[in-house]
Amino acid sequence: MDLIKLLIVDDRPENIVALEALLKRDEIELITTTSPNEALRICWEQDIAIALIDVQMPEMDGFELVEILKSNPRTREMLVIFVTAISTETKYAVRGLSVGAVDYLYKPLDPYITSAKVDSFIQLVRYQREIKHKNEELESYQKELIKAKDLAIQGKQTKESFLANMSHEIRTPINGILGLIYLLQNSNLDDEQKRIIELLKDSSESLLGVINDILDFSKIEAGKFKIVRSETRIAHVVGSVTGLLKAKADEKGLLMKVVVEENVPPLVMADALRLNQILLNLLSNAIKFTEKGTISLFVKAPENKGNLTRLQFIVNDTGIGIPADKHDRIFEIFEQASENTGHVYGGTGLGLSIVKKLATLMGGEISVESQEGVGSSFTFANWFKVVTEDAGKVSVKSVSALEKFDNLNILVAEDNTISQFMIRKILAGWNIKADIVENGAQVLEKINQNRYDLILMDTYMPVMGGFEATRKIRTEMPEEVRSIPIISLSAAVLDEEKQEALDAGVNDVLSKPFDLNVLHEMIDRYIRKAD
């Protein structure tokens, strides 16, 4: 018999303990939390059938929590029972039922009534699941399903293996190309040469963008794409995206306009990387499909609920527009507004599909209004928790302004000759002496001969790979060698590959193509920690 997952949300641990003792059943898996935001994550990641939710909590009240759950298709069918001690007034029960709850209990709880009600809802869930299961059995031929499942597992494994190999084989040389571009940009060039280098950089980043689109879409499809929320400054995200694309708009003679309304909170909990990705795709498309006029980004906060705010990111353009019959289809994979769009304007047709999936994963929505020949307006809307305390600004130095180190010795394990040249030159510019080897076996030889402050270790190398070399260092070397900080230089895109690196014993993972600011910060952090 399948376990039914029951979630208890209450900001007072003693209440949770009491409910656990009361509701303990062999057929129930009890999951508890004192945080409404943690409850959201649990509900989106697990199959929660029933939730007992306290009404009065500090982060957000139970009504707000349930409204969010009921607005998301993944959690809409969850059975919710409110538990409260604030009042027995009818209006509170009515409000609870109106937001989607199936029952409303008052504290102090009557143990017999509470148990009986929960048991009845458990039985209801079982009936629903049994009916669904029988319907599925009636609609299938069992042998074909088993065969299809086996083929799907085999195809999934083949696809993941291909993604891992493609990531390494393509991202590694792109990392080398971008590194060489950086070196050239910091050399003496005339105006024409600078222009050529800029075009080369744009082309490399465009290629990287296509690869990232394909990899991101595959990860989303495989269910391996995670949303990670942290304190995010809206102005920083907007400034970063528009700053990155302003040059492209200027090249086409387009005016780029940004308006962040005054009531937009400066700091929210969000996945900054994915928010950046959504805006980057929407603004890039706007620039791509607009030949004259204005590209506008508006950020609005039309609605607030407690410490939650609903933000709208609206991207307007004066471009070619989208035919009315294509408004829905443009969010589908490989779909574009017309047959010749890809030939005329370029692109894979993946960008808006990824935007749609990212918006859904974040619990938000994406919509479009457009008139052919006039322009388009795309809106991404989502609820965000407002952060009241200012975390302070983090200054990011330009690569050319990064501080030099004090005569560090670093061992670099990298088998790609272009990457070797690029890394050696960059490290030398930071006053770092680098020894370069081509495989893990040579790493083991070198660390027995010389003292190093840190190791940069590639993942895939001939003779011995980075994971095996790291494990040997951590388990077989003398104590003073075992503790050397190791940063894995990885072209991996799958989370399990990054976890494998950490399990092998590396201190951190730096994905290729890597940001030189991040590399510098990692070296500085681990050197200071060692000191």
Side-chain angles (χ1 to χ4, degrees):
M1 182 179 291
D2 293 334
L3 288 176
I4 289 178
K5 294 186 178 183
L6 188 150
L7 175 66
I8 300 173
V9 187
D10 196 308
D11 63 316
R12 298 176 67 89
E14 61 270 25
N15 292 341
I16 289 179
V17 171
L19 280 170
E20 283 183 308
L22 182 63
L23 300 178
K24 188 175 181 180
R25 310 276 195 283
D26 289 338
E27 68 269 27
I28 295 179
E29 179 182 349
L30 289 174
I31 302 168
T32 66
T33 179
T34 58
S35 165
N37 286 298
E38 176 70 4
L40 286 175
R41 183 190 66 77
I42 292 170
C43 292
W44 287 329
E45 291 182 356
Q46 301 192 45
D47 183 21
I48 304 296
I50 303 171
L52 270 72
I53 299 176
D54 188 26
V55 170
Q56 199 167 25
M57 293 181 286
E59 293 180 9
M60 75 174 78
D61 67 37
F63 298 135
E64 295 167 349
L65 173 60
V66 174
E67 283 179 339
I68 295 173
L69 291 173
K70 290 298 181 180
S71 68
N72 192 315
R74 295 172 63 183
T75 52
R76 186 177 295 156
E77 302 303 320
M78 185 187 305
L79 300 181
V80 176
I81 303 171
F82 275 124
V83 181
T84 183
I86 58 174
S87 176
T88 59
E89 289 185 42
T90 304
K91 66 179 182 180
Y92 291 106
V94 170
R95 185 183 174 191
L97 296 172
S98 68
V99 298
V102 295
D103 211 334
Y104 200 96
L105 300 176
Y106 299 98
K107 297 176 184 176
L109 296 174
D110 183 307
Y112 299 104
I113 292 177
T114 303
S115 294
K117 287 194 173 185
V118 170
D119 285 338
S120 67
F121 287 124
I122 291 171
Q123 199 62 35
L124 176 60
V125 169
R126 291 213 176 279
Y127 286 148
Q128 290 174 337
R129 292 184 175 182
E130 186 177 352
I131 291 170
K132 182 180 179 181
H133 180 66
K134 288 183 177 179
N135 285 338
E136 289 173 350
E137 284 184 338
L138 290 172
E139 294 170 358
S140 63
Y141 299 104
Q142 190 174 6
K143 289 182 180 180
E144 289 187 8
L145 282 177
I146 293 173
K147 183 179 178 181
K149 180 182 177 182
D150 291 339
L151 289 173
I153 292 173
Q154 183 181 352
K156 179 174 177 288
Q157 292 171 341
T158 302
K159 180 179 178 181
E160 289 186 358
S161 176
F162 168 75
L163 284 174
N165 291 331
M166 185 183 80
S167 170
H168 183 265
E169 295 301 324
I170 299 179
R171 294 169 77 92
T172 294
I174 290 179
N175 181 62
I177 292 170
L178 290 172
L180 293 175
I181 289 171
Y182 158 71
L183 294 173
L184 286 171
Q185 285 178 322
N186 286 273
S187 62
N188 294 322
L189 301 173
D190 59 35
D191 290 342
E192 184 177 359
Q193 290 170 330
K194 288 179 181 178
R195 177 60 179 157
I196 292 172
I197 292 298
E198 283 297 326
L199 291 173
L200 179 59
K201 184 170 182 283
D202 288 344
S203 298
S204 301
E205 290 175 344
S206 294
L207 176 59
L208 183 62
V210 172
I211 295 167
N212 287 341
D213 279 351
I214 295 170
L215 295 174
D216 282 348
F217 187 84
S218 300
K219 286 165 70 178
I220 293 171
E221 290 291 288
K224 295 186 176 182
F225 206 90
K226 296 179 180 178
I227 299 298
V228 181
R229 293 174 175 83
S230 61
E231 290 187 358
T232 300
R233 191 170 294 280
I234 295 297
H236 284 184
V237 175
V238 170
S240 172
V241 174
T242 53
L244 191 64
L245 295 175
K246 188 176 185 305
K248 291 184 178 179
D250 290 344
E251 283 181 8
K252 298 184 73 172
L254 301 174
L255 175 65
M256 182 171 279
K257 179 174 148 186
V258 180
V259 178
V260 180
E261 294 190 348
E262 290 184 1
N263 66 331
V264 172
L267 207 61
V268 297
M269 293 298 293
D271 189 326
L273 180 64
R274 304 310 168 196
L275 179 57
N276 184 293
Q277 196 171 3
I278 287 174
L279 296 180
L280 198 62
N281 268 302
L282 294 179
L283 284 166
S284 293
N285 265 12
I287 293 170
K288 182 192 300 183
F289 297 115
T290 303
E291 295 304 321
K292 61 180 180 178
T294 304
I295 307 297
S296 303
L297 170 60
F298 296 93
V299 185
K300 302 181 179 182
E303 194 175 354
N304 296 293
K305 292 181 180 178
N307 65 341
L308 296 178
T309 184
R310 185 170 183 267
L311 297 184
Q312 290 180 330
F313 298 86
I314 305 168
V315 175
N316 294 338
D317 66 59
T318 54
I320 61 174
I322 304 165
D325 60 342
K326 297 290 179 71
H327 285 192
D328 293 329
R329 288 180 55 192
I330 58 170
F331 292 107
E332 297 175 10
I333 181 172
F334 301 128
E335 282 290 341
Q336 295 187 325
S338 64
E339 296 296 329
N340 68 337
T341 296
H343 298 293
V344 177
Y345 296 97
T348 60
L350 281 171
L352 288 178
S353 175
I354 291 173
V355 166
K356 175 75 170 179
K357 291 183 179 294
L358 285 176
T360 302
L361 283 173
M362 293 170 73
E365 57 187 7
I366 186 80
S367 59
V368 60
E369 294 179 5
S370 184
Q371 185 175 344
E372 197 169 5
V374 176
S376 303
S377 177
F378 286 84
T379 301
F380 166 60
N382 199 12
W383 285 96
F384 296 89
K385 179 186 174 184
V386 178
V387 179
T388 53
E389 292 187 7
D390 193 330
K393 295 183 179 180
V394 178
S395 60
V396 179
K397 298 179 181 178
S398 67
V399 174
S400 60
L402 293 175
E403 296 176 358
K404 296 183 185 299
F405 293 94
D406 186 16
N407 294 318
L408 294 183
N409 290 318
I410 287 183
L411 179 60
V412 180
E414 171 63 71
D415 63 312
N416 183 278
T417 54
I418 295 176
S419 294
Q420 289 176 357
F421 174 81
M422 178 268 292
I423 291 175
R424 187 192 298 275
K425 294 283 286 183
I426 288 170
L427 295 182
W430 296 343
N431 200 27
I432 295 175
K433 181 182 180 298
D435 286 342
I436 310 285
V437 295
E438 295 185 350
N439 59 64
Q442 292 176 356
V443 168
L444 301 181
E445 292 176 10
K446 278 285 188 182
I447 60 175
N448 279 320
Q449 300 167 3
N450 303 302
R451 177 197 163 277
Y452 295 100
D453 299 292
L454 184 139
I455 299 173
L456 297 177
M457 184 88 76
D458 190 22
T459 302
Y460 299 106
M461 295 179 288
V463 183
M464 183 186 293
F467 296 160
E468 185 180 355
T470 300
R471 280 191 289 266
K472 287 182 177 293
I473 292 171
R474 296 303 190 217
T475 59
E476 300 177 8
M477 293 292 167
E479 181 58 35
E480 64 271 15
V481 178
R482 289 185 191 182
S483 59
I484 295 176
I486 300 175
I487 298 174
S488 175
L489 302 179
S490 172
V493 292
L494 300 178
D495 290 337
E496 51 262 44
E497 290 181 274
K498 295 177 182 178
Q499 187 59 50
E500 186 180 357
L502 295 172
D503 292 342
V506 307
N507 296 82
D508 221 324
V509 179
L510 183 60
S511 297
K512 297 178 179 177
F514 48 77
D515 186 315
L516 296 182
N517 276 292
V518 177
L519 174 61
H520 187 282
E521 185 276 330
M522 279 190 180
I523 294 174
D524 181 61
R525 173 161 33 105
Y526 288 109
I527 292 301
R528 282 190 287 105
K529 186 180 292 185
D531 291 342

